[in-house]
Amino acid sequence: LARKYLSTLPGLLVGPQQPGGEQAGLLAFHAELSFLIRTFFFVLVGMDIRFEGFESEWLPITVIFGVILLARWLSILVSRILWREAHRRERELAFWMHPRGLITVVLALRVVNERGPSFGFLVDMAFAMLLLSGVGMTIGTMRGRGLGDLPESNEPGAEAEP
C-alpha cells in the first residue's frame, strides 16, 4: 500500500512542468469533455426555464445580483493581500470573470424536483444570475483585450481599487 502512494510522488514533482506530448493531449481532451458537459447542462436547464418568472421576480433578482457583485468586489479587495503584483486591470478582469454559477441552476432544479413546483421561482432566479454573470463575463472579455500590452511590473497608480 505504501508503495502505491510513494509511486505518486514523482508525478507530483513532474506534474507542474509545461504541458507537452501526452499531457497536452489529456488537457485538450479535458477541455472538450468539460465543454460537452456544460453544454448538456445548458440544454437541460433551457428545457425547464420559464421566462415569465423573470417578470415576477425582477426585484429579488436585481438585489441578489447586486449582492453577488458586492461580494465579488470584496473578494478582489481581500485577494490583494496575496496578489500584490497584479495590475489594476488584471484585478478588474478577475472581478468580471468570477464563476458563473451553472451548478446553482442544477441544484435549484433538484430542489424543485424534491419539494415541488412551489419552489420553481428558484430555477428562474438562478438562471437569471447565470445570464447576468454571462453578460458580466462578456464585459470583462471586451475590457480585458489590452491586458497583453501591460508591463510586467506595476506602474505608479496601478494599485487603485478594481
Side-chain angles (χ1 to χ4, degrees):
L1 186 63
R3 181 188 242 179
K4 184 189 301 184
Y5 290 113
L6 286 176
S7 67
T8 61
L9 187 60
L12 293 173
L13 297 174
V14 175
Q17 294 178 354
Q18 292 288 351
E22 290 181 23
Q23 189 176 7
L26 183 62
L27 290 174
F29 172 74
H30 179 269
E32 292 294 326
L33 185 61
S34 175
F35 175 76
L36 181 66
I37 290 171
R38 282 192 313 267
T39 303
F40 166 76
F41 279 118
F42 274 111
V43 170
L44 173 70
V45 167
M47 291 181 350
D48 285 344
I49 293 300
R50 296 175 321 276
F51 289 100
E52 307 87 52
F54 290 5
E55 293 174 15
S56 63
E57 304 295 335
W58 70 269
L59 183 60
I61 287 170
T62 305
V63 169
I64 291 170
F65 190 66
V67 169
I68 288 172
L69 290 179
L70 177 65
R72 286 180 177 187
W73 181 72
L74 290 173
S75 72
I76 296 299
L77 286 180
V78 170
S79 71
R80 289 176 66 187
I81 295 168
L82 298 174
W83 201 16
R84 294 179 198 269
E85 68 278 358
H87 190 274
R88 176 187 55 81
R89 300 254 335 261
E90 291 171 321
R91 289 191 305 271
E92 179 187 351
L93 182 66
F95 170 79
W96 289 115
M97 295 296 171
H98 264 278
R100 297 173 307 277
L102 180 59
I103 190 65
T104 307
V105 178
V106 173
L107 292 174
L109 285 170
R110 173 130 182 163
V111 169
V112 171
N113 287 338
E114 294 291 324
R115 300 290 182 164
S118 63
F119 286 88
F121 69 94
L122 290 176
V123 177
D124 296 335
M125 290 176 68
F127 191 68
M129 294 302 112
L130 183 67
L131 289 177
L132 291 171
S133 293
V135 170
M137 287 190 65
T138 303
I139 292 169
T141 300
M142 292 179 357
R143 294 200 36 88
R145 285 187 180 164
L147 284 177
D149 300 333
L150 291 178
E152 288 295 319
S153 62
N154 279 342
E155 298 173 356
E159 289 300 317
E161 304 264 327

